[in-house]
Amino acid sequence: MAHIFAENLSILFPLSRTRLKRKFISRGGTVGGDIVYINKTPHIAALKNVNLTCNPGDNVALIGPNGSGKTTLLRTLARIYEPTGGQVACEGTIATLFSSSVSLSDLETGRENIYYASVLRGISNQYLSAQLNNIIEICELGDSIDLPVSMYSEGMKSRLGFAMALIANPDIMLIDEVITTSDIHYLQRVAAQSNFFKNPNGITVIASHATDILDLYCNKALWLDSGEVKAFGLYEDVVAEYKTAQTAQVGDDIN
């Protein structure tokens, strides 16, 4: 059964490139986190003492301005980044959807990409053969499934990547900014054909600016700002708090 646990999770990125360092410091370190110094070397504090617990059945929306740490958190949960401080633990199989082009080979067909993805995930040919028609149906690519991915639009690549992520029926699904408002009807069809967003034993963590999709599927929300947790809890409560803060900020800017 799926679980996600983070305690005092922190991620620091060293600013080693001189031009990037000067540009970031000149902005006051407000984009992507604050600046902290370790042995006189500036670092971006991408995440600062994040505490998070997700249980089976949680569909968690990550909300906050650009550069607030949403992508960093997702990649840390996916074990791409190692924590600089604190700890993080994820129980269960993990699938990621971070980009429409990640894990896709442009030179191969959509069908061949599905086979490659199954090999990388350790899925047996017997299981894949039984699920292949359903996966292709979820893609909604029709005969294009046998065309090279280089001929696909970004939307087609996104749907293929989505179906590939669902192949192994993961316990934890991590999604970063690849779902847009135009995908809502597609997601509704996917949800009808699979247990996506309705697995009582699974967890979904999603960062997206498509608020109508988050409104429809998420029951929890985590609000990040400059790498820090501002609020975590029921989706409606956290979103209301976030919108109130945004309105107040606009008023301050006008004044």
Side-chain angles (χ1 to χ4, degrees):
M1 194 171 290
H3 287 282
I4 294 175
F5 173 77
E7 182 178 32
N8 296 324
L9 174 62
S10 297
I11 296 285
L12 300 177
F13 294 125
L15 279 170
S16 56
R17 292 172 57 189
T18 303
R19 289 183 61 188
L20 177 62
K21 183 189 306 183
R22 290 174 178 169
K23 186 176 182 180
F24 189 85
I25 293 176
S26 69
R27 292 177 174 177
T30 58
V31 179
D34 296 331
I35 296 176
V36 297
Y37 285 84
I38 301 175
N39 296 327
K40 297 183 179 181
T41 300
H43 290 68
I44 302 173
L47 293 177
K48 294 180 286 188
N49 299 316
V50 171
N51 293 300
L52 174 67
T53 299
C54 300
N55 297 308
D58 285 348
N59 295 321
V60 183
L62 300 183
I63 61 176
N66 290 335
S68 60
K70 302 185 294 292
T71 291
T72 300
L73 177 58
L74 285 168
R75 280 157 173 70
T76 304
L77 295 178
R79 302 172 185 144
I80 296 172
Y81 297 154
E82 286 291 328
T84 307
Q87 58 181 323
V88 61
C90 296
E91 296 181 11
T93 57
I94 298 174
T96 63
L97 190 57
F98 290 162
S99 166
S100 61
S101 59
V102 169
S103 300
L104 294 180
S105 172
D106 281 348
L107 299 179
E108 313 301 334
T109 68
R111 187 186 301 271
E112 289 168 335
N113 270 275
I114 292 173
Y115 276 104
Y116 294 153
S118 68
V119 171
L120 292 173
R121 289 175 170 83
I123 297 170
S124 68
N125 286 332
Q126 182 178 3
Y127 177 86
L128 180 61
S129 297
Q131 297 294 321
L132 185 58
N133 289 337
N134 183 48
I135 294 166
I136 293 176
E137 187 176 352
I138 289 175
C139 292
E140 296 186 349
L141 295 178
D143 292 339
S144 296
I145 195 68
D146 292 309
L147 293 177
V149 169
S150 59
M151 301 178 66
Y152 287 11
S153 67
E154 287 302 309
M156 294 167 71
K157 289 180 180 179
S158 179
R159 293 198 297 274
L160 177 59
F162 204 90
M164 288 166 58
L166 291 173
I167 287 176
N169 191 25
D171 300 312
I172 299 172
M173 176 75 86
L174 306 175
I175 305 172
D176 187 19
E177 301 290 0
V178 296
I179 294 177
T180 64
T181 298
S182 62
D183 295 318
I184 187 167
H185 297 300
Y186 171 68
L187 285 182
Q188 288 173 324
R189 291 192 291 271
V190 170
Q193 294 172 288
S194 67
N195 64 0
F196 180 62
F197 275 130
K198 58 185 180 182
N199 181 2
N201 298 316
I203 296 171
T204 300
V205 184
I206 175 173
S208 174
H209 292 292
T211 55
D212 49 353
I213 291 175
L214 303 182
D215 291 345
L216 185 61
Y217 290 111
C218 293
N219 52 23
K220 297 282 185 68
L222 175 71
W223 171 16
L224 288 169
D225 196 337
S226 297
E228 295 182 293
V229 175
K230 305 293 288 186
F232 176 62
L234 294 176
Y235 177 79
E236 293 82 2
D237 295 342
V238 176
V239 169
E241 188 176 351
Y242 176 59
K243 289 181 178 179
T244 298
Q246 283 185 307
T247 302
Q249 181 63 49
V250 171
D252 290 342
D253 292 341
I254 292 175
N255 294 332

